[in-house]
Amino acid sequence: MTEITACDTAAPLVGVLALQGGIREHVQALEAAGARTMLVRRASELDALDGLVLPGGESTTIDKLMRLYGIAGPLRAKIRDGFPVYGSCAGMILLADRITDPALDAAGEPQQTLGGLDLTVRRNAFGRQRESFETSLDFDGLQDLPSQEPGQQAAPVHAVFIRAPWVEKVGSSVQVLAKVLPQEASTDIIAEGRDSVARIVAVRSGKLLATSFHPEVTGERRIHELFIQMIRGDA
């Protein structure tokens, strides 16, 4: 992780929630995109940050650990106040206001989310682990990034879907950034007739960004670059 020094204090300090899931890859992607980084495990660490990444993993486990460590309440309040957060895969579920199929704990209580995104998400919508897939996506909002050549169309995003959710409904405040067509998804989904429409897999609302897929595992840095620009107020 990059050491925080006086010469780089102009770079935003972005935390990665480090309770469970794919943490290291997000740190590498953020630093490659020009941010300073910090692993976050305590609520007291949130106030030092300019933004936060919620990594992929098990949304139910991350939910339980956030509540156990006392992070969920303070983070939920910061999100309501406009704190920038990017969630990938499980992180998308945690940012959703509603879950179609929430997991239940031993007492029968549904899993909780942080909320902030006016949408309904379905967990593991694209299937099991063996139905993971990769595809190229047209992704809105990348054409004006500093790394993008002026006047050039942004290249498609190489996206990896691993037990990924999809978005079933969005409110008027949510901007859809990318969709997956049925023929681009797992062949098992198509063969079994489980899907026949394009599914929303990337969204933005204010300072919140979420993707169903994992850009951090493919070397794709533009999603993290977009998030940094959102933190700066430049996107």
Side-chain angles (χ1 to χ4, degrees):
M1 188 180 308
T2 299
E3 181 181 357
I4 301 173
T5 62
C7 64
D8 64 4
T9 52
L13 178 60
V14 183
V16 179
L17 188 67
L19 300 179
Q20 192 264 346
I23 299 160
R24 180 186 305 174
E25 295 85 356
H26 277 292
V27 169
Q28 293 170 343
L30 287 165
E31 292 182 352
R36 298 173 295 146
T37 58
M38 185 172 111
L39 300 185
V40 175
R41 298 184 180 91
R42 299 176 181 86
S44 60
E45 296 167 329
L46 295 172
D47 288 340
L49 303 175
D50 298 305
L52 180 71
V53 171
L54 303 176
E58 295 288 343
S59 62
T60 52
T61 300
I62 298 174
D63 164 38
K64 291 175 183 177
L65 290 174
M66 282 195 301
R67 285 185 276 152
L68 178 65
Y69 282 82
I71 296 176
L75 181 51
R76 191 176 289 116
K78 285 182 72 68
I79 289 172
R80 286 198 300 267
D81 290 339
F83 183 59
V85 180
Y86 165 45
S88 67
C89 199
M92 170 184 271
I93 297 170
L94 292 167
L95 287 175
D97 283 347
R98 297 170 297 278
I99 304 175
T100 299
D101 54 343
L104 304 179
D105 63 17
E109 295 296 323
Q111 70 182 98
Q112 298 180 22
T113 70
L114 298 167
L117 287 174
D118 181 13
L119 55 80
T120 303
V121 69
R122 180 176 293 276
R123 301 164 53 249
N124 302 326
F126 285 106
R128 299 172 291 275
Q129 187 82 17
R130 68 182 181 86
E131 295 170 313
S132 301
F133 66 97
E134 301 180 29
T135 190
S136 294
L137 299 176
D138 291 330
F139 196 106
D140 192 24
L142 303 183
Q143 60 274 11
D144 296 324
L145 294 177
S147 63
Q148 178 71 25
E149 288 291 332
Q152 295 294 315
Q153 183 175 356
V157 168
H158 183 197
V160 174
F161 293 81
I162 305 170
R163 295 178 60 198
W166 66 42
V167 177
E168 299 206 327
K169 296 179 182 179
V170 298
S172 59
S173 63
V174 178
Q175 177 186 2
V176 175
L177 301 178
K179 294 182 178 182
V180 166
L181 299 173
Q183 61 267 30
E184 296 171 335
S186 164
T187 54
D188 287 343
I189 291 176
I190 298 171
E192 295 172 16
R194 284 187 280 134
D195 199 27
S196 60
V197 299
R199 292 296 183 178
I200 299 169
V201 294
V203 295
R204 174 186 177 178
S205 179
K207 295 286 188 178
L208 301 180
L209 177 68
T211 62
S212 299
F213 56 90
H214 296 269
E216 73 279 4
V217 304
T218 64
E220 171 62 68
R221 299 293 182 250
R222 290 174 295 168
I223 310 302
H224 293 79
E225 185 183 358
L226 172 61
F227 182 52
I228 292 170
Q229 292 299 101
M230 290 168 58
I231 292 172
R232 294 184 186 275
D234 294 332

